[in-house]
């Protein structure tokens, strides 16, 4: 359950919720289904504006993780894998012709100290759409995403995560459509502070922005706009 306040453009409030149903295959491996669903609280145009609750399914995916399939002798360096198969549960992408998306994550973890960890995450993504464009905008085809994440375990209960991510997406060729046959760049930060109430429950406070820190053609930075 994630209550969300947006202060960009027009103030709005919504729930960005999700549920998982999974099975622990082994101490290192798990399979699950994850579904996001958003609900309007006040004036959120992303979920129907001011009219009604606007319960909308967002992305849903099957997920398989295999943690620490490699680790060195003192476990200060680890490699993990995560694979996702997306379903067209989000209506906007479904209307654009989305069939599926496949993500493959390789996570290189480095233990800097007892309290600090640094993760380098490489994600190769394939987007499958039934048509090359939608509403005169080219659909995505291939994407590469790199994330550098610093995790600070402040205490047994408090944890601060600060990821910086950059993705490059190759767009489909669609004659006359916007973004046809180009690479689109997008960079963002998503810091989150978490507090563990128990092994099964925790509270968190996070931040993200829907505007990139760089222009899509990588011609300039726009840090102020991206953090607004």
């Amino acid at each position: 359950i994630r209550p969300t306040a947006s202060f960009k453009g027009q103030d709005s409030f919504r729930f960005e919720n999700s549920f998982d149903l999974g099975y622990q295959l082994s101490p290192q491996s798990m399979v699950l289904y994850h579904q996001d669903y958003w609900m309007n609280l006040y004036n959120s145009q992303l979920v129907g504006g001011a009219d009604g609750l606007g319960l909308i399914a967002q992305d849903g995916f099957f997920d398989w993780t295999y943690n620490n399939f490699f680790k060195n002798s003192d476990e200060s360096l680890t490699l993990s894998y995560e694979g996702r198969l997306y379903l067209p549960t989000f209506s906007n992408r479904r209307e654009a012709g989305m069939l599926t998306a496949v993500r493959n994550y390789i996570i290189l973890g480095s233990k800097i100290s007892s309290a600090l960890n640094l993760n380098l995450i490489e994600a190769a993504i394939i987007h499958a759409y039934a048509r090359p464009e939608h509403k005169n905008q080219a659909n995505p085809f291939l994407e590469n995403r790199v994330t550098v994440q610093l995790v600070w375990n402040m205490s047994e209960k408090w944890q601060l995560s600060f990821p910086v991510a950059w993705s490059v997406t190759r767009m489909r060729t669609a004659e006359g459509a916007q973004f046809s046959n180009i690479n689109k760049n997008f960079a963002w930060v998503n810091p989150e502070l978490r507090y563990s109430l128990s092994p099964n429950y925790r509270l968190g406070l996070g931040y993200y922005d829907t505007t990139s820190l760089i222009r899509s053609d990588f011609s300039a930075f726009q840090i102020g706009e991206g953090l607004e």
Side-chain angles (χ1 to χ4, degrees), residues 33 60-64 83-87 99-103:
Y33 179 76
F61 57 84
F62 292 98
D63 184 89
W64 176 56
R84 295 181 181 181
L85 177 67
Y86 279 78
L87 302 180
L99 301 173
T100 187
V102 180
R103 293 189 185 184

Side-chain angles (χ1 to χ4, degrees), residues 29-144:
S29 181
M30 172 181 280
V31 292
L32 61 82
Y33 179 76
H34 173 98
Q35 180 65 58
D36 292 315
Y37 57 98
W38 291 8
M39 185 174 65
N40 180 54
L41 286 178
Y42 169 72
N43 207 35
S44 178
Q45 299 302 315
L46 295 176
V47 280
D51 298 327
L53 292 176
L55 185 65
I56 292 180
Q58 299 286 318
D59 290 326
F61 57 84
F62 292 98
D63 184 89
W64 176 56
T65 56
Y66 195 93
N67 294 318
N68 302 335
F69 65 82
F70 166 82
K71 54 187 175 183
N72 63 355
S73 58
D74 63 358
E75 300 187 12
S76 62
L77 198 65
T78 61
L79 277 174
S80 300
Y81 170 80
E82 180 179 357
R84 295 181 181 181
L85 177 67
Y86 279 78
L87 302 180
T89 53
F90 182 32
S91 60
N92 287 4
R93 277 190 262 274
R94 187 169 62 248
E95 290 167 6
M98 176 186 173
L99 301 173
T100 187
V102 180
R103 293 189 185 184
N104 291 282
Y105 294 85
I106 295 293
I107 303 103
L108 174 63
S110 176
K111 187 174 183 179
I112 301 174
S113 70
S114 59
L116 283 177
N117 292 277
L118 184 66
N119 299 319
L120 177 62
I121 306 168
E122 162 63 25
I125 305 168
I126 300 173
H127 300 273
Y129 280 75
R131 49 186 177 273
E133 59 86 24
H134 176 65
K135 294 183 178 179
N136 202 38
Q137 290 195 1
N139 281 322
F141 176 40
L142 299 174
E143 180 181 353
N144 192 70

